[in-house]
Amino acid sequence: MGDRRAGGLWIALPYSSANRVERILIEGSGAFTKAVPRSMLVEGASVLSLLSIEAGKVNYIALVTAGSGISDIEWKVQIGPAILLEEPLSVDLLIKSIPRRVQRHVYFPDEAIASIPPGTWKNLLESVIRLTKTPQEELSRLTSLMKSRSATVRKSLSETISFERDAVATALEVFGGSTLRKKIISDASPDNEAPFISKLRHREVKFIEDQMIAHDAISFPGLQSLKQHLVGAVELYTHNGTLTVINSNRTSIEKTLGVDLLYYNHTCSSFVLVQYKRLTGKPNPVFRPNQDSNLGKELERMRAFRRESNSYNYDYLSYRLNDNPFYLKLCKAHSPGDWNGRMLQGMYFPLELWDLLIKTEYVKGPRGGQRISFESTPRRLSNSEFTALVAKGWIGTNEVDTERLNNLLVELLSNKHSVVAAVQQPKSRFNDYCRDQFGRFQSPDDEFAI
């Protein structure tokens, strides 16, 4: 996307922060935030930038996206993801390489920020690419991501793609925490031409070929019913083990009526299933159960599964706060800042809590109908609460009846649902990933933890 005020930016950071910036952009979440003058960017703008962390050098080509305002004169922007230049480029050499007529519009912003006019920026960027021999595919990736961060583009994404994106983001949060989620999701540029999973191009993501799945490269209850309609599969490995994410859909994106996230944990032998429902309307979005023609059948399918579930004897390790696997997530298809790797703002309801909620006065509208909103639901689970409970094995089934789970997934696919299945395998080795370079313990989500 372009911007009427700047063709691009040139940001020179304090040189004392070079190591920190490098660790974030290359090893950490892939992005960090900074304040920039509002005069340089319009709200929601996304532009490319040269990034300098050494005096007289250009080190990165980075994506800069304006987020929320932090004052009347500044935006908080996200810087990243970025392309690391193979060798730092001399500023003097760069400026001498562009036409004389535009050289006067360019100066090195020593520990500051410069806004570059569109015509000058085009010449400057072309020279950087030529002098550093930066691969065109790398630049194309950043340009595609820049365009996808446009508010107009994001709002045009189908509900299915948006919810599939959130399902993958949620799985990454459960499996590896916020740092992993941010660096994988914010590096993907979704569109309506393919399932979201196909856009995960991060270096830590490995695409799984169909034959690998056919030969039991992965295994979990319900896989057989999903294999037949597989549209994509990826794998990630971290200190937590292996996360395999597959997407199955037996109909086209345009005809898909719902999205479900199935999270299966091999260590706990448990699964959790989340069904997405859309909040609509402004300024306070709501969900109206009576206007969803599929909701009744979907809830009854969940209740029937629960009624037929066997009672298991818990031991210490298999104890659950709640062994109900079914949850509804109510959220808007798009949220402010969803381009930066966030999960969609929403509220989770366990099936039993939902059944209690719809009987209360909290959700009764002025004309007697039901309206469910953030304001009308004092008890629900947030993104962080839900993902923490799943990650620690506090919720989900105790054991799984493979045949019944297969049948459930067949029904979901038959009812034109897209199923995102995320399968967690236990870690095979223990690393001191929580220690920094001085041996001190840090949070697993700390960008500087090793």
Side-chain angles (χ1 to χ4, degrees):
M1 140 184 159
D3 171 56
R4 59 182 170 83
R5 298 182 190 175
L9 300 177
W10 193 340
I11 302 175
L13 297 171
Y15 310 129
S16 60
S17 66
N19 290 338
R20 174 178 174 272
V21 169
E22 184 173 357
R23 295 198 63 164
I24 294 174
L25 292 179
I26 304 304
E27 302 172 21
S29 63
F32 60 95
T33 59
K34 180 177 176 60
V36 305
R38 287 187 182 230
S39 59
M40 291 186 177
L41 293 171
V42 296
E43 184 176 7
S46 188
V47 298
L48 295 181
S49 170
L50 301 183
L51 189 61
S52 297
I53 58 174
E54 295 180 76
K57 303 287 185 181
V58 177
N59 304 90
Y60 297 88
I61 302 171
L63 186 58
V64 177
T65 307
S68 57
I70 56 177
S71 72
D72 291 339
I73 60 172
E74 289 183 316
W75 294 116
K76 181 168 73 173
V77 302
Q78 175 177 292
I79 300 175
I83 301 169
L84 174 63
L85 303 183
E86 208 166 286
E87 293 290 339
L89 176 61
S90 163
V91 170
D92 290 339
L93 176 61
L94 173 59
I95 293 179
K96 287 177 183 177
S97 71
I98 62 178
R100 285 182 176 274
R101 70 179 186 279
V102 296
Q103 286 183 11
R104 62 189 178 88
H105 297 297
V106 180
Y107 66 92
F108 180 66
D110 190 22
E111 297 196 9
I113 303 173
S115 177
I116 312 296
T120 305
W121 173 255
K122 183 175 181 294
N123 283 279
L124 198 62
L125 185 60
E126 287 175 351
S127 290
V128 172
I129 299 301
R130 184 179 71 256
L131 293 171
T132 61
K133 298 180 180 179
T134 298
Q136 185 58 45
E137 58 269 24
E138 294 257 355
L139 184 64
S140 297
R141 179 182 65 86
L142 270 195
T143 302
S144 174
L145 189 55
M146 177 182 70
K147 292 177 179 177
S148 74
R149 288 188 173 184
S150 158
T152 302
V153 173
R154 293 202 307 276
K155 288 178 181 176
S156 69
L157 288 179
S158 73
E159 180 178 299
T160 299
I161 293 292
S162 293
F163 288 162
E164 284 183 353
R165 174 200 168 282
D166 187 74
V168 176
T170 301
L172 291 169
E173 177 74 23
V174 171
F175 173 67
S178 58
T179 297
L180 180 70
R181 165 177 54 81
K182 288 176 183 177
K183 70 180 177 181
I184 300 295
I185 298 297
S186 63
D187 209 27
S189 53
D191 57 43
N192 283 323
E193 298 301 317
F196 176 77
I197 197 172
S198 68
K199 299 300 177 181
L200 298 178
R201 301 295 179 186
H202 197 273
R203 63 183 179 275
E204 295 189 21
V205 175
K206 175 185 176 183
F207 280 83
I208 302 177
E209 302 296 335
D210 293 352
Q211 58 266 29
M212 292 176 65
I213 295 178
H215 287 87
D216 298 324
I218 59 172
S219 176
F220 68 96
L223 177 61
Q224 295 305 316
S225 60
L226 297 179
K227 274 184 181 179
Q228 305 169 46
H229 308 288
L230 192 68
V231 293
V234 298
E235 187 176 63
L236 300 95
Y237 178 82
T238 74
H239 56 267
N240 284 336
T242 302
L243 180 71
T244 304
V245 185
I246 70 173
N247 191 188
S248 290
N249 196 345
R250 62 183 294 180
T251 188
S252 64
I253 292 293
E254 298 79 19
K255 296 179 180 179
T256 301
L257 300 179
V259 174
D260 301 272
L261 166 63
L262 182 146
Y263 198 96
Y264 182 80
N265 188 309
H266 273 282
T267 303
C268 301
S269 297
S270 68
F271 82 92
V272 171
L273 189 86
V274 179
Q275 186 162 112
Y276 283 82
K277 291 296 178 183
R278 185 180 183 181
L279 295 166
T280 58
K282 294 181 179 180
N284 300 314
V286 300
F287 175 68
R288 302 177 189 276
N290 296 335
Q291 294 182 9
D292 187 327
S293 59
N294 298 308
L295 180 62
K297 292 178 289 185
E298 292 163 349
L299 292 174
E300 182 50 39
R301 187 184 303 123
M302 298 178 195
R303 295 179 186 123
F305 191 99
R306 289 286 286 156
R307 286 195 297 269
E308 295 167 12
S309 296
N310 298 320
S311 259
Y312 298 111
N313 294 319
Y314 290 110
D315 59 25
Y316 174 72
L317 294 178
S318 65
Y319 174 75
R320 303 282 184 271
L321 293 174
N322 187 344
D323 64 2
N324 164 35
F326 297 111
Y327 290 77
L328 297 175
K329 181 175 184 179
L330 275 55
C331 55
K332 295 173 65 176
H334 305 282
S335 295
D338 60 7
W339 45 263
N340 67 2
R342 293 180 186 173
M343 292 176 283
L344 293 174
Q345 182 185 12
M347 41 189 168
Y348 290 84
F349 296 95
L351 177 60
E352 288 90 343
L353 182 62
W354 175 270
D355 287 342
L356 294 171
L357 172 67
I358 58 176
K359 297 175 184 177
T360 69
E361 296 293 318
Y362 289 110
V363 298
K364 188 171 291 186
R367 299 181 182 178
Q370 292 178 326
R371 300 190 316 171
I372 299 175
S373 66
F374 287 97
E375 291 74 19
S376 67
T377 51
R379 301 202 69 197
R380 76 256 180 165
L381 295 176
S382 65
N383 283 329
S384 57
E385 291 166 340
F386 174 79
T387 53
L389 290 169
V390 176
K392 299 297 185 182
W394 290 117
I395 58 176
T397 57
N398 177 259
E399 292 183 21
V400 182
D401 182 328
T402 300
E403 182 178 355
R404 290 179 59 238
L405 183 53
N406 263 310
N407 292 338
L408 173 65
L409 295 175
V410 167
E411 282 192 65
L412 294 175
L413 292 168
S414 299
N415 284 278
K416 299 183 178 180
H417 278 224
S418 172
V419 177
V420 176
V423 185
Q424 180 176 353
Q425 296 273 13
K427 57 188 174 185
S428 57
R429 65 177 185 266
F430 291 84
N431 292 332
D432 250 351
Y433 66 91
C434 286
R435 292 184 183 269
D436 65 11
Q437 63 267 39
F438 302 109
R440 299 174 303 192
F441 281 107
Q442 297 184 346
S443 161
D445 286 342
D446 193 308
E447 293 160 342
F448 306 108
I450 59 173

PDB file of all heavy atoms in Angstrom, residues 398-411:
ATOM      1  N   ASN A 398     -10.285 -36.291  28.655  1.00  0.00           N
ATOM      2  CA  ASN A 398      -9.288 -37.094  29.367  1.00  0.00           C
ATOM      3  C   ASN A 398      -8.759 -38.202  28.466  1.00  0.00           C
ATOM      4  O   ASN A 398      -7.577 -38.504  28.453  1.00  0.00           O
ATOM      5  CB  ASN A 398      -9.909 -37.693  30.622  1.00  0.00           C
ATOM      6  CG  ASN A 398      -8.947 -38.589  31.366  1.00  0.00           C
ATOM      7  OD1 ASN A 398      -9.022 -39.798  31.251  1.00  0.00           O
ATOM      8  ND2 ASN A 398      -8.018 -37.990  32.102  1.00  0.00           N
ATOM      9  N   GLU A 399      -9.627 -38.798  27.691  1.00  0.00           N
ATOM     10  CA  GLU A 399      -9.264 -39.788  26.689  1.00  0.00           C
ATOM     11  C   GLU A 399     -10.136 -39.522  25.468  1.00  0.00           C
ATOM     12  O   GLU A 399     -11.092 -38.761  25.524  1.00  0.00           O
ATOM     13  CB  GLU A 399      -9.479 -41.220  27.199  1.00  0.00           C
ATOM     14  CG  GLU A 399      -8.526 -41.619  28.327  1.00  0.00           C
ATOM     15  CD  GLU A 399      -8.715 -43.059  28.744  1.00  0.00           C
ATOM     16  OE1 GLU A 399      -9.253 -43.852  27.947  1.00  0.00           O
ATOM     17  OE2 GLU A 399      -8.331 -43.390  29.875  1.00  0.00           O
ATOM     18  N   VAL A 400      -9.781 -40.145  24.353  1.00  0.00           N
ATOM     19  CA  VAL A 400     -10.504 -39.875  23.119  1.00  0.00           C
ATOM     20  C   VAL A 400     -10.968 -41.168  22.480  1.00  0.00           C
ATOM     21  O   VAL A 400     -10.188 -42.103  22.313  1.00  0.00           O
ATOM     22  CB  VAL A 400      -9.610 -39.106  22.111  1.00  0.00           C
ATOM     23  CG1 VAL A 400     -10.398 -38.794  20.839  1.00  0.00           C
ATOM     24  CG2 VAL A 400      -9.089 -37.821  22.728  1.00  0.00           C
ATOM     25  N   ASP A 401     -12.244 -41.226  22.154  1.00  0.00           N
ATOM     26  CA  ASP A 401     -12.801 -42.326  21.368  1.00  0.00           C
ATOM     27  C   ASP A 401     -12.560 -41.980  19.898  1.00  0.00           C
ATOM     28  O   ASP A 401     -13.232 -41.121  19.322  1.00  0.00           O
ATOM     29  CB  ASP A 401     -14.295 -42.452  21.664  1.00  0.00           C
ATOM     30  CG  ASP A 401     -14.941 -43.615  20.929  1.00  0.00           C
ATOM     31  OD1 ASP A 401     -14.488 -43.918  19.806  1.00  0.00           O
ATOM     32  OD2 ASP A 401     -15.889 -44.200  21.455  1.00  0.00           O
ATOM     33  N   THR A 402     -11.579 -42.638  19.296  1.00  0.00           N
ATOM     34  CA  THR A 402     -11.153 -42.279  17.939  1.00  0.00           C
ATOM     35  C   THR A 402     -12.296 -42.367  16.940  1.00  0.00           C
ATOM     36  O   THR A 402     -12.473 -41.477  16.095  1.00  0.00           O
ATOM     37  CB  THR A 402     -10.001 -43.201  17.490  1.00  0.00           C
ATOM     38  OG1 THR A 402      -8.912 -43.038  18.388  1.00  0.00           O
ATOM     39  CG2 THR A 402      -9.546 -42.854  16.078  1.00  0.00           C
ATOM     40  N   GLU A 403     -13.092 -43.422  17.015  1.00  0.00           N
ATOM     41  CA  GLU A 403     -14.172 -43.603  16.047  1.00  0.00           C
ATOM     42  C   GLU A 403     -15.212 -42.488  16.159  1.00  0.00           C
ATOM     43  O   GLU A 403     -15.664 -41.937  15.155  1.00  0.00           O
ATOM     44  CB  GLU A 403     -14.835 -44.967  16.251  1.00  0.00           C
ATOM     45  CG  GLU A 403     -15.945 -45.243  15.225  1.00  0.00           C
ATOM     46  CD  GLU A 403     -16.569 -46.614  15.409  1.00  0.00           C
ATOM     47  OE1 GLU A 403     -16.078 -47.390  16.256  1.00  0.00           O
ATOM     48  OE2 GLU A 403     -17.556 -46.899  14.715  1.00  0.00           O
ATOM     49  N   ARG A 404     -15.557 -42.136  17.385  1.00  0.00           N
ATOM     50  CA  ARG A 404     -16.563 -41.090  17.566  1.00  0.00           C
ATOM     51  C   ARG A 404     -16.031 -39.723  17.134  1.00  0.00           C
ATOM     52  O   ARG A 404     -16.770 -38.911  16.577  1.00  0.00           O
ATOM     53  CB  ARG A 404     -17.026 -41.050  19.026  1.00  0.00           C
ATOM     54  CG  ARG A 404     -17.858 -42.261  19.410  1.00  0.00           C
ATOM     55  CD  ARG A 404     -18.301 -42.224  20.850  1.00  0.00           C
ATOM     56  NE  ARG A 404     -19.090 -41.052  21.121  1.00  0.00           N
ATOM     57  CZ  ARG A 404     -18.790 -40.140  22.050  1.00  0.00           C
ATOM     58  NH1 ARG A 404     -17.703 -40.270  22.772  1.00  0.00           N
ATOM     59  NH2 ARG A 404     -19.565 -39.097  22.243  1.00  0.00           N
ATOM     60  N   LEU A 405     -14.749 -39.474  17.379  1.00  0.00           N
ATOM     61  CA  LEU A 405     -14.165 -38.206  16.958  1.00  0.00           C
ATOM     62  C   LEU A 405     -14.103 -38.137  15.434  1.00  0.00           C
ATOM     63  O   LEU A 405     -14.382 -37.089  14.841  1.00  0.00           O
ATOM     64  CB  LEU A 405     -12.765 -38.036  17.556  1.00  0.00           C
ATOM     65  CG  LEU A 405     -12.057 -36.708  17.251  1.00  0.00           C
ATOM     66  CD1 LEU A 405     -12.935 -35.520  17.610  1.00  0.00           C
ATOM     67  CD2 LEU A 405     -10.735 -36.623  17.990  1.00  0.00           C
ATOM     68  N   ASN A 406     -13.768 -39.261  14.799  1.00  0.00           N
ATOM     69  CA  ASN A 406     -13.800 -39.293  13.334  1.00  0.00           C
ATOM     70  C   ASN A 406     -15.189 -38.959  12.802  1.00  0.00           C
ATOM     71  O   ASN A 406     -15.349 -38.196  11.861  1.00  0.00           O
ATOM     72  CB  ASN A 406     -13.378 -40.682  12.829  1.00  0.00           C
ATOM     73  CG  ASN A 406     -11.915 -40.730  12.433  1.00  0.00           C
ATOM     74  OD1 ASN A 406     -11.443 -39.876  11.688  1.00  0.00           O
ATOM     75  ND2 ASN A 406     -11.193 -41.706  12.940  1.00  0.00           N
ATOM     76  N   ASN A 407     -16.199 -39.543  13.419  1.00  0.00           N
ATOM     77  CA  ASN A 407     -17.575 -39.288  12.981  1.00  0.00           C
ATOM     78  C   ASN A 407     -17.956 -37.825  13.157  1.00  0.00           C
ATOM     79  O   ASN A 407     -18.642 -37.245  12.308  1.00  0.00           O
ATOM     80  CB  ASN A 407     -18.550 -40.178  13.768  1.00  0.00           C
ATOM     81  CG  ASN A 407     -18.399 -41.653  13.441  1.00  0.00           C
ATOM     82  OD1 ASN A 407     -17.875 -41.998  12.376  1.00  0.00           O
ATOM     83  ND2 ASN A 407     -18.837 -42.520  14.330  1.00  0.00           N
ATOM     84  N   LEU A 408     -17.518 -37.225  14.268  1.00  0.00           N
ATOM     85  CA  LEU A 408     -17.810 -35.807  14.516  1.00  0.00           C
ATOM     86  C   LEU A 408     -17.183 -34.934  13.431  1.00  0.00           C
ATOM     87  O   LEU A 408     -17.825 -34.029  12.895  1.00  0.00           O
ATOM     88  CB  LEU A 408     -17.278 -35.408  15.888  1.00  0.00           C
ATOM     89  CG  LEU A 408     -17.357 -33.920  16.242  1.00  0.00           C
ATOM     90  CD1 LEU A 408     -18.809 -33.466  16.348  1.00  0.00           C
ATOM     91  CD2 LEU A 408     -16.617 -33.626  17.537  1.00  0.00           C
ATOM     92  N   LEU A 409     -15.923 -35.211  13.091  1.00  0.00           N
ATOM     93  CA  LEU A 409     -15.243 -34.407  12.081  1.00  0.00           C
ATOM     94  C   LEU A 409     -15.841 -34.601  10.697  1.00  0.00           C
ATOM     95  O   LEU A 409     -15.914 -33.659   9.902  1.00  0.00           O
ATOM     96  CB  LEU A 409     -13.746 -34.749  12.072  1.00  0.00           C
ATOM     97  CG  LEU A 409     -13.004 -34.382  13.361  1.00  0.00           C
ATOM     98  CD1 LEU A 409     -11.562 -34.866  13.319  1.00  0.00           C
ATOM     99  CD2 LEU A 409     -13.047 -32.879  13.602  1.00  0.00           C
ATOM    100  N   VAL A 410     -16.295 -35.806  10.404  1.00  0.00           N
ATOM    101  CA  VAL A 410     -16.987 -36.052   9.129  1.00  0.00           C
ATOM    102  C   VAL A 410     -18.243 -35.196   9.050  1.00  0.00           C
ATOM    103  O   VAL A 410     -18.552 -34.599   8.003  1.00  0.00           O
ATOM    104  CB  VAL A 410     -17.342 -37.548   8.970  1.00  0.00           C
ATOM    105  CG1 VAL A 410     -18.333 -37.752   7.828  1.00  0.00           C
ATOM    106  CG2 VAL A 410     -16.088 -38.367   8.716  1.00  0.00           C
ATOM    107  N   GLU A 411     -18.971 -35.108  10.156  1.00  0.00           N
ATOM    108  CA  GLU A 411     -20.185 -34.274  10.180  1.00  0.00           C
ATOM    109  C   GLU A 411     -19.853 -32.805   9.960  1.00  0.00           C
ATOM    110  O   GLU A 411     -20.539 -32.101   9.219  1.00  0.00           O
ATOM    111  CB  GLU A 411     -20.906 -34.444  11.521  1.00  0.00           C
ATOM    112  CG  GLU A 411     -21.701 -35.714  11.648  1.00  0.00           C
ATOM    113  CD  GLU A 411     -22.609 -35.676  12.872  1.00  0.00           C
ATOM    114  OE1 GLU A 411     -23.537 -34.834  12.901  1.00  0.00           O
ATOM    115  OE2 GLU A 411     -22.364 -36.460  13.805  1.00  0.00           O
TER     116      GLU A 411
END
